[in-house]
Amino acid sequence: MDYAQSSYGVSKAGAENYVSELNNIVTTTVANAVLDTSMVMETVQRGWHGTAADQFLASLDKNAQTLNETLNTLTSVFQSEVDNIVQALSDMDNNLFTE
């Protein structure tokens, strides 16, 4: 191993940037795709009629909302886990040089 080229520590800013970019993708691209049920609705309305179709469409919107809420919860959990990892690595690095 070439110690001259190595480093220790963790980049808190890098971790924050990574989480921010991921959250941005989830809250924009993924959330928009999940919540946009228009194509499915149009297709169902063209070829499926009756109470079952109505119930499916109502369930579709409800489940899209639930999935979006779950994604938001998961992004919060992910943020917390990354924060914990950054803190643990920082603590480990700080303890390398103390008795």
Side-chain angles (χ1 to χ4, degrees):
M1 176 175 186
D2 181 7
Y3 289 104
Q5 299 298 320
S6 67
S7 63
Y8 67 94
V10 61
S11 171
K12 185 175 181 181
E16 288 172 355
N17 186 47
Y18 175 73
V19 171
S20 177
E21 288 179 15
L22 184 62
N23 286 345
N24 200 18
I25 291 168
V26 169
T27 58
T28 57
T29 307
V30 177
N32 289 339
V34 166
L35 294 173
D36 183 10
T37 59
S38 60
M39 187 182 300
V40 174
M41 288 184 148
E42 291 170 12
T43 303
V44 168
Q45 290 169 345
R46 267 189 266 127
W48 189 11
H49 303 284
T51 305
D54 294 339
Q55 289 174 344
F56 175 82
L57 293 175
S59 184
L60 176 68
D61 278 339
K62 180 182 174 193
N63 289 332
Q65 289 294 333
T66 300
L67 179 55
N68 190 51
E69 291 168 10
T70 301
L71 285 170
N72 288 332
T73 300
L74 289 173
T75 57
S76 295
V77 169
F78 183 72
Q79 173 73 58
S80 179
E81 289 299 317
V82 169
D83 290 345
N84 289 338
I85 291 168
V86 167
Q87 186 61 50
L89 290 173
S90 179
D91 291 346
M92 183 179 69
D93 284 347
N94 288 332
N95 291 330
L96 286 175
F97 301 105
T98 61
E99 294 181 1

